[in-house]
Every structure is written in C-alpha cells, then in structure tokens.
Amino acid sequence: VHAPYASLPAPRAHAALQTLNAIFTHGRLVSAASIHSLAAFAVLVAMQAYFPVLGVLGMMLMLFGLVMGFPLAVSFALEDGATEAYDLAILATFATGLLMWAAGRRARRDLHVSDGFLLVAATWLITPVFGALPLLFYLPELSFTDAYFEAASGLTTTGATVLTGLDTMPVSINLWRCFMHWVGGMGVIVLMVAVLPLLGIGGRQIFRAETPGPMKESSLTPRIAETAKGLWGVYVVLTAGCTLALSQAGMAPWDAVIHAFSIMGLGGFSTRDASLGAFDSVPIETVTIVFALLSGINYATHYLALVRRTPRPYGEDPELRWFFGVLGVTVVFLTVYLLESGAYRDGALAFRHVSFHAVSLATSLGLATYDYTVWPMFAQVWILFLSSFAACSGSTGGGIKMMRAIILYKQVHREIVRSLHPSAVVPLRLGRQPVSDNVLHAVLAFSFMYMVSIVSLTLILAASGLDLITAFSGVVACINNAGPGLAALGPAGNYQGLGDFQTWVMSFAMILGRLEIFTLLVVLTPAFWRR
C-alpha cells in the first residue's frame, strides 16, 4: 500500500498512512483496494498546501468519533452485545482524526473558498468510512462496499438499505443508523460551523458550500456561527416534539426516538424490515406526515417565525404555497386515479396510502407503509418524480428543491410571453424579490447537470446489467436522497441484490445529490487543483 508513497518528502503524511493501514486492516476490515483509495486521498490532502484542510478534517473526525458515544452508551445500558463494536469504531475514528489534526495543526490559517469546497467534499466522502465501522465490527459478514453504502445512505439521509433482519437487530445498531440521518440531516458541516469559531477558524466559506438555496447568499444573524446554532436549535426542538408525538401515538420509547431521528432528518431508515407498515397505525402515520412536512420546509422560515414570535414568515415564504399546492393536487388526483383504475375500492384506504407516500416521497423521507409498486406505473413514477423538486430549499429534503423548480417554471413562462411579444419586458420575480440573471443562469446550469447526472448514471448501471427501470428509479431515488425506488428497489425490497460496482455507483449518486452536484464536481475538475 505504501510503496507508491515512499518517496514523499512529508514524513508526517507517510506516518499517518502507516497508522491508517494498521487501524483499517485490523480484523480484515477493508480490502487492499479500499485502503489504497483512502491512502491516496489522505496523501492528496496531506500535501503542504492542504495541511489546514487536513487539520480541520481531523477535528471533524474526532467530533464524529465522540458522536458514536451516544449509541455506545445505549448499547452498554441495554447490554445488546454491540458495545465492543462501538469501542473499536470510536478508537479507530478518534485516532485517525487525531493524526490528521496533528499533521495540520501547525499550518493553521483562514480557509479560502476552495478550501471550503475541498473540506465539504472530503468530509462527505470520508465520513461514511468511519460511520460504517460499527456495522463492520458487529456484522463481520458485511462487506466494506455494503457497509459504506449503508453509512453513506445514513449520512446523506437517503434511507436506501442493504440490510435485512432489522426487527432482530440490536437497538443501538438501529439507533446508530438513524442517528446518522439526524446528524447528516442538517449537515455535519453546519454543526462544525458553530464550533469552528471557538477554534479560531472562520467557517463562512464552508457554510456557503454546504447549505443549499437562498441560505448561500444571506445570514439569518450577523454571525454565521449564530445562524448555525439557531438552525440546530429549531432542529432539536422539532425532534423532541416528534419523539413525544410518536410515543403518544403508540410507539415504544426506543422506536419513537429512533424514528424521530429518521423523520426529522428526512432519511427513511426504520427498525423494521417492513418500515412503518409494521406498525399499521393511522396515528403514527399522521404524526409522520406532520413532522415530515415540517422538516420539508425551509428551516430558516421556522427560525424566523420562532425568533419573531409570529407566523408571518410562513406567509412570506414563496415556496410554501407551491409546496402545499403540489402535494394537495397530487393527493387528490392520485386518490381519484387509483379508485378509477381499480387499485382500491375503499376511498378512505386509498386516501390514507396516497397521502402518506406522496408526502414521504415528496419530502424525500422514504418511509413506507405499503408496497406502492403494485399501483399502476403512472402513479409510481409520479410520486417518485415528486422527490425531484418538492422539498423546500434550506430543508433536510433532497432534489433540486422547490425554489429552483419555481424559477424554472417562471423562466419558461417568460420565454413563452417573449415569443408572443418580442418587445415586452417581463421581469422574473420570486415573491417580491427580483431574480437576477446570475441566479437564473446558476439554476439553469444546475438543472442541466442534474439531468445529465441522472442520465449518465442510469446508462452506466444499465451497461452493468441492471434493467432500465431499476437503474433509472435507483439513480433518481439516490440522487434525490429519497431511498426506495421502483421494481426490485421498491419498498418491498432493498438494494442488497446489487453488485459491488452498482452499489458504488449508487453511493456516488447519494453523495452527489447531497452536495447538490456542483460542490463535488468542482473538486473533481483539474482546474480546482491548479492554484
């Protein structure tokens, strides 16, 4: 593994690689190829110009290792047999982070914009390696590929799984899977933005690279750290409310806690193989719908309403009327359509299933109560299509976000008017705010790359032997961080049947979607590395 790097002039980097090798080969954790890839990336960021990034990444890994203390404490208290797995995982994560921090601590400086992009991409590519460690240690038969996929699915709040037997899994393992949803929901980077100022490191560039939508251009408070703390405060309050509501609806205490993490992160992992369908409870489904909708709304809107102590920010949010309007039309239309097509005879049951899955897929939550792949194909494709655009910007949902969808719609309308009246001046507005050409061009470029990514990844998977419906729906579900797809990847199945190459493609799609495409593509371009 180290032979290609033996000539490096940086002995600290070489020593770090040796330690990484010792940690990750313990217990046959990963293959030589996996170690080689991680080592290559470690060398890349350990180059002298990137030592500050390496140091901050090390601090993030150390914090991530401390986060594992929560499921460790639960495992110890419940004596569920997973304690040793967490001990080893925390040791490996914290030790690796400490080595990275030690390598970069003497090169501290303000982070540039490019550093922010590199740190965000590196965090989301590397963190799943360590998030997978508890699963690898507890489930030795699990391959590194599947473990990485599961951890990436958790941290990106996708909810696609390769595991079965969840009903008999230790509480702490299911807790860790869904807790990754909760941590990844608002973003590991945003959490660190609240901590970085205490360490003397500016975090605004990182926040801009990580946070979607209009949050890139403005702060809710004068200091970016206060913004992050405010958003996390709202997140914690809503999570506590969701936990309490699920308990009152009939869930056992630990099930309520675990599913609250999943719902508020809009993830989709569950403690049951049958997802929420195992509970068969209308009150639980109702609570899930309410809090999924709350989490699908821009958290900046929640924060402003809380600070100003008035619901007026909800009325001023231009996305909300579209968000609820699209969902309302979908529920009514699909309920009538399924009744007319003979899929249901009971209108109440049709409304129950349609409303739950429309909200679950639109917000990219991905929990299921029924196998909707038995519906007519039109209904299946429509609710999957909702995951592409319905969630609001600044929410924990996936897809291109409603903000961009509105701008695209208004631009199409403007071009139609210009075709009829070439001399007309038709301003593009979002609510009361005019949309600049720079914003419009950015939205158009993002939408184009979004479509190119879906088509390219679908063709790659189809070339690998996957049927077209499974490949397309899997890519759409993963890049939108929605979870279940269609056919074999529907709510009655999972991603276990994919080959290793196909699993890595899906993992890449999840991270690409979570970073909203450009954050990752910027780092992968040669121009980024030419300083």
Side-chain angles (χ1 to χ4, degrees):
V1 172
H2 298 299
Y5 316 114
S7 60
L8 275 177
R12 286 182 296 176
H14 190 62
L17 288 178
Q18 288 179 323
T19 307
L20 280 173
N21 186 32
I23 290 172
F24 286 110
T25 53
H26 175 69
R28 293 177 287 115
L29 265 180
V30 292
S31 65
S34 301
I35 300 172
H36 190 281
S37 301
L38 184 62
F41 190 82
V43 170
L44 188 64
V45 298
M47 294 166 59
Q48 188 67 36
Y50 300 102
F51 267 29
V53 176
L54 187 69
V56 178
L57 182 60
M59 288 188 290
M60 290 184 175
L61 285 181
M62 287 190 285
L63 177 62
F64 191 64
L66 294 177
V67 166
M68 292 184 192
F70 178 37
L72 170 62
V74 173
S75 178
F76 181 79
L78 299 180
E79 298 181 352
D80 61 7
T83 304
E84 184 179 355
Y86 290 110
D87 287 337
L88 294 172
I90 292 172
L91 176 62
T93 304
F94 197 85
T96 306
L98 185 62
L99 287 170
M100 290 182 176
W101 173 79
R105 67 186 178 88
R106 294 183 180 180
R108 294 175 63 183
R109 59 167 169 77
D110 289 338
L111 297 179
H112 307 305
V113 173
S114 58
D115 294 326
F117 281 104
L118 178 60
L119 182 58
V120 168
T123 299
W124 286 98
L125 288 170
I126 291 178
T127 304
V129 173
F130 298 92
L133 293 184
L135 303 177
L136 283 167
F137 281 120
Y138 183 77
L139 302 169
E141 71 279 4
L142 193 66
S143 69
F144 175 74
T145 297
D146 285 345
Y148 185 93
F149 176 90
E150 193 78 10
S153 181
L155 288 167
T156 59
T157 73
T158 302
T161 184
V162 295
L163 298 180
T164 56
L166 299 176
D167 302 68
T168 57
M169 204 77 76
V171 170
S172 65
I173 295 295
N174 279 323
L175 175 66
W176 174 237
R177 294 169 64 245
C178 293
F179 192 56
M180 284 193 287
H181 278 336
W182 193 77
V183 173
M186 187 62 70
V188 177
I189 306 299
V190 178
L191 175 63
M192 282 303 297
V193 165
V195 179
L196 288 178
L198 302 178
L199 305 173
I201 302 172
R204 180 173 294 273
Q205 292 87 358
I206 309 172
F207 189 82
R208 286 168 59 87
E210 162 65 14
T211 311
M215 295 293 291
K216 285 183 181 290
E217 306 301 331
S218 61
S219 299
L220 302 180
T221 58
R223 296 181 59 194
I224 198 68
E226 294 302 317
T227 299
K229 291 175 184 177
L231 295 176
W232 269 102
V234 175
Y235 197 45
V236 170
V237 169
L238 288 178
T239 303
C242 184
T243 303
L244 181 61
L246 289 173
S247 297
Q248 294 297 316
M251 267 193 182
W254 277 118
D255 279 333
V257 171
I258 292 171
H259 283 91
F261 288 148
S262 182
I263 293 168
M264 296 315 302
L266 291 179
F269 282 157
S270 177
T271 59
R272 303 287 191 273
D273 287 330
S275 192
L276 280 190
F279 297 94
D280 192 22
S281 169
V282 173
I284 289 176
E285 294 170 24
T286 303
V287 170
T288 301
I289 289 174
V290 170
F291 282 92
L293 290 173
L294 289 174
S295 205
I297 296 172
N298 193 330
Y299 271 82
T301 304
H302 292 314
Y303 178 77
L304 292 176
L306 181 64
V307 170
R308 297 175 184 176
R309 299 182 181 180
T310 173
R312 185 173 299 175
Y314 294 106
E316 297 172 350
D317 189 336
E319 290 180 288
L320 282 189
R321 66 195 71 174
W322 290 81
F323 178 60
F324 287 107
V326 167
L327 284 175
V329 170
T330 295
V331 170
V332 172
F333 175 76
L334 286 186
T335 299
V336 174
Y337 175 80
L338 292 176
L339 288 172
E340 290 294 324
S341 65
Y344 292 95
R345 294 183 178 180
D346 184 348
L349 184 61
F351 177 79
R352 172 186 171 183
H353 288 162
V354 168
S355 58
F356 183 87
H357 292 97
V359 171
S360 182
L361 270 295
T363 59
S364 77
L365 171 57
L367 288 172
T369 61
Y370 180 78
D371 183 12
Y372 53 78
T373 59
V374 301
W375 292 352
M377 183 56 70
F378 169 78
Q380 298 179 45
V381 173
W382 177 248
I383 63 169
L384 183 64
F385 174 64
L386 286 179
S387 68
S388 298
F389 68 93
C392 297
S393 59
S395 72
T396 55
I400 69 172
K401 304 297 192 299
M402 182 62 76
M403 181 76 74
R404 293 191 182 98
I406 296 172
I407 292 175
L408 289 173
Y409 165 76
K410 288 181 176 289
Q411 174 62 12
V412 170
H413 178 264
R414 183 166 72 165
E415 291 303 318
I416 292 174
V417 173
R418 281 178 172 177
S419 298
L420 297 174
H421 307 284
S423 300
V425 177
V426 187
L428 186 63
R429 295 180 179 275
L430 191 62
R432 299 179 181 177
Q433 299 295 323
V435 177
S436 68
D437 288 342
N438 289 338
V439 172
L440 176 60
H441 293 159
V443 169
L444 292 174
F446 175 86
S447 302
F448 174 74
M449 286 308 304
Y450 173 80
M451 291 184 288
V452 167
S453 299
I454 290 178
V455 172
S456 301
L457 294 175
T458 298
L459 291 176
I460 290 172
L461 288 173
S464 72
L466 210 59
D467 69 272
L468 193 59
I469 293 178
T470 302
F472 174 75
S473 65
V475 169
V476 171
C478 286
I479 206 168
N480 292 333
N481 305 129
L486 304 179
L489 304 181
N494 64 14
Y495 288 70
Q496 192 177 50
L498 299 180
D500 283 353
F501 174 76
Q502 296 163 346
T503 302
W504 281 111
V505 171
M506 294 295 191
S507 298
F508 177 78
M510 291 188 288
I511 296 173
L512 186 68
R514 181 64 182 84
L515 296 182
E516 299 207 336
I517 300 176
F518 275 105
T519 303
L520 185 57
L521 293 185
V522 164
V523 177
L524 296 178
T525 57
F528 177 85
W529 301 100
R530 292 196 294 266
R531 294 212 170 194

